[in-house]
Amino acid sequence: MNQKVYVFFAEGFEEIEALTVVDMLRRVAVDTVTVSVGDSTTVTGAHGIPVITDGLFADFSYADGTMAVLPGGMPGTNHLMAHDGVKQVLLTYQKEKKYIAAICAAPSVLGAAGLLDGRHATCYPGFETYLQGADYTAALVEKDGNIITGKGPGAAMEFAFAIVEKYCGIDK
């Protein structure tokens, strides 16, 4: 099976949430592409760490992807929310029943897009009201169908493990 995960980076992303997922997926040989939603391939995280992504949003078609991942962080989540292309990828992936994962504040992007209706979801404390249509659980990680949500930086490893499990099984 061809596996490709797109991880979206926006200025102000939460570094541990984004890089833990990328690191873990690359360790298990899942093709993982880092994508800047800004105008530069260098994206600076919420704690001032610059990261060079694999390309800009317009450089990829996303049709070959099997999962889209949204790290949280502020103002990164707001930038993801405002990006029409990211929203379109999410809506397409949902329609095609591909996987979508978001952690921390980023599940609010899924809520705003109407992707959490009737689903169990978690997020960073204080963002519950932005999970429109979801049944908020406060779990570290929540898996419901093709959607995986994570609570925040402290859940980065568990969130990454849940994503790896979708591709490689629990033993890996």
Side-chain angles (χ1 to χ4, degrees):
M1 176 185 156
N2 217 4
Q3 308 165 348
K4 184 176 275 190
V5 176
Y6 288 99
V7 182
F8 295 99
F9 285 67
E11 287 292 320
F13 70 94
E14 180 62 52
E15 293 94 340
I16 194 169
E17 296 165 359
L19 295 175
T20 302
V21 169
V22 172
D23 183 301
M24 300 255 308
L25 285 171
R26 288 184 176 175
R27 284 174 188 258
V28 296
V30 172
D31 188 6
T32 306
V33 180
T34 56
V35 179
S36 169
V37 302
D39 57 6
S40 172
T41 56
T42 300
V43 184
T44 303
H47 301 97
I49 302 170
V51 173
I52 300 171
T53 61
D54 297 317
L56 301 175
F57 185 86
D59 294 339
F60 307 101
S61 74
Y62 307 101
D64 60 345
T66 54
M67 180 182 281
V69 178
L70 305 180
M74 283 303 209
T77 296
N78 291 337
H79 295 307
L80 293 172
M81 181 93 65
H83 196 279
D84 290 334
V86 169
K87 181 179 180 181
Q88 192 54 53
V89 168
L90 296 174
L91 293 173
T92 299
Y93 277 28
Q94 178 63 17
K95 182 179 178 183
E96 296 175 357
K97 303 211 183 308
K98 294 181 178 183
Y99 288 105
I100 299 168
I103 186 169
C104 194
S108 65
V109 177
L110 307 184
L115 302 178
L116 296 179
D117 290 342
R119 292 182 183 260
H120 293 92
T122 193
C123 64
Y124 192 77
F127 281 83
E128 305 87 353
T129 59
Y130 300 105
L131 302 184
Q132 298 165 5
D135 177 16
Y136 174 70
T137 67
L140 283 180
V141 174
E142 194 63 62
K143 297 177 273 186
D144 192 334
N146 66 318
I147 304 233
I148 301 170
T149 53
K151 192 166 189 173
M157 288 293 288
E158 291 299 322
F159 180 69
F161 283 138
I163 293 169
V164 167
E165 182 181 346
K166 289 289 184 187
Y167 287 101
C168 304
I170 192 111
D171 291 338
K172 191 77 165 184

